[in-house]
Amino acid sequence: GQQLNQSPQSMFIQEGEDVSMNCTSSSIFNTWLWYKQDPGEGPVLLIALYKAGELTSNGRLTAQFGITRKDSFLNISASIPSDVGIYFCAGHSRSNYQLIWGAGTKLIIKP
Amino acid sequence: NAGVTQTPKFQVLKTGQSMTLQCAQDMNHEYMSWYRQDPGMGLRLIHYSVGAGITDQGEVPNGYNVSRSTTEDFPLRLLSAAPSQTSVYFCASSVAGGASGANVLTFGAGSRLTVL
C-alpha cells in the first residue's frame, strides 16, 4: 500500500539538541498529523495540521504543513530524555478514506 | 475516562490456534480500526468499521476477521494463527473517519502477539 517517506529512520542526539524530521508524499494531502509512541504504548497525537503553510506549536514541538501539500516537518527544540520514542507522520487526502502512515522516526538520546 | 482498552496485553499462541483480541472504547466513537505494527514498517491497517454493523477491509486483512455488533466493541479474530501474524496490534477509534473527519485517532496500549 501507499506509504509516506519519513526520514530519518532513527536519530541519536545529545540532550539539549534540536531535532528535525520530515515526511514526503507523491500525492497531495489535506491533513497532516504527527504522533508519538512511547515504548510499550500506543501512538498519541502531538499536532494536527489542516492548511498548506500552517505552522503549529505544542510546547517545544513545532510542525509545518508544506506549501506544496506533499510534505510536512516536525521540529523539537532543546530535547530532553522523555522525548525518546517513535514519531509517526500520517496524512489524509480526499481521494483516500484512510490515513496513510510513515514508517516512523526513532529518537534516541545519548546518555 | 478509560479511552480505548485492549486485552490481552500479551499472548503466545501455537500455529493453528485461534484467539480474539478485544477492543472497547467509551468515547461513543463511530469509527474503529485495527492496525498491526512491525519493525520498520510503521502501522498497517487490518480492518475498520464506520459504525455498528459495518466493517471493511484495510491494507492487510488476510487471516483476520472482525465484527461490530455495538458502538463500543470491535474484536479482532485470528482463526488459524501463523508465525507471520507475530506482531503488536493496536486498536484505534475516532469520532468519524475518512473525508468527513480528520481521522484524529485515539489508540489503545497495544496487544503483543507471538505465534510459535
Side-chain angles (χ1 to χ4, degrees):
Chain A
Q2 183 183 357
Q3 259 203 335
L4 299 176
N5 293 315
Q6 185 171 352
S7 64
Q9 191 173 14
S10 61
M11 302 179 72
F12 288 83
I13 61 169
Q14 297 277 7
E15 184 176 347
E17 285 184 354
D18 295 343
V19 172
S20 291
M21 59 191 78
N22 69 83
C23 276
T24 60
S25 168
S26 57
S27 56
I28 289 173
F29 286 155
N30 61 340
T31 302
W32 283 96
L33 305 171
W34 284 93
Y35 284 81
K36 184 197 175 194
Q37 183 182 25
D38 289 325
E41 299 292 331
V44 173
L45 181 70
L46 296 173
I47 294 176
L49 303 161
Y50 301 107
K51 283 197 291 192
E54 181 179 354
L55 188 71
T56 298
S57 293
N58 179 3
R60 293 176 296 105
L61 277 62
T62 301
Q64 184 164 23
F65 193 138
I67 289 291
T68 65
R69 297 172 63 192
K70 293 184 177 181
D71 57 9
S72 180
F73 305 86
L74 176 70
N75 296 316
I76 305 172
S77 61
S79 56
I80 61 177
S82 61
D83 290 335
V84 300
I86 303 176
Y87 292 79
F88 290 102
C89 62
H92 184 254
S93 67
R94 296 194 192 281
S95 62
N96 210 337
Y97 188 85
Q98 302 298 336
L99 276 177
I100 308 298
W101 290 85
T105 294
K106 189 171 185 178
L107 189 62
I108 304 156
I109 294 186
K110 300 174 192 172
Chain B
N1 200 353
V4 178
T5 303
Q6 289 184 235
T7 56
K9 198 158 178 67
F10 301 95
Q11 182 72 49
V12 179
L13 291 177
K14 294 181 181 177
T15 297
Q17 286 185 319
S18 63
M19 78 156 299
T20 300
L21 299 178
Q22 302 291 345
C23 175
Q25 52 90 11
D26 61 359
M27 298 172 285
N28 203 31
H29 283 173
E30 288 296 319
Y31 179 89
M32 296 186 74
S33 56
W34 277 101
Y35 285 88
R36 61 178 288 174
Q37 182 178 25
D38 301 293
M41 301 192 72
L43 295 161
R44 292 185 292 169
L45 182 66
I46 304 171
H47 284 285
Y48 67 95
S49 168
V50 298
I54 306 170
T55 63
D56 208 342
Q57 296 180 348
E59 180 186 354
V60 288
N62 292 341
Y64 307 96
N65 281 352
V66 292
S67 59
R68 185 93 180 270
S69 56
T70 67
T71 299
E72 294 77 21
D73 300 298
F74 191 45
L76 178 72
R77 295 184 187 84
L78 285 72
L79 299 178
S80 179
S84 61
Q85 293 178 304
T86 293
S87 187
V88 181
Y89 292 85
F90 288 99
C91 180
S93 70
S94 70
V95 173
S100 64
N103 259 246
V104 176
L105 296 168
T106 299
F107 284 83
S111 297
R112 183 176 293 274
L113 176 66
T114 301
V115 183
L116 303 175

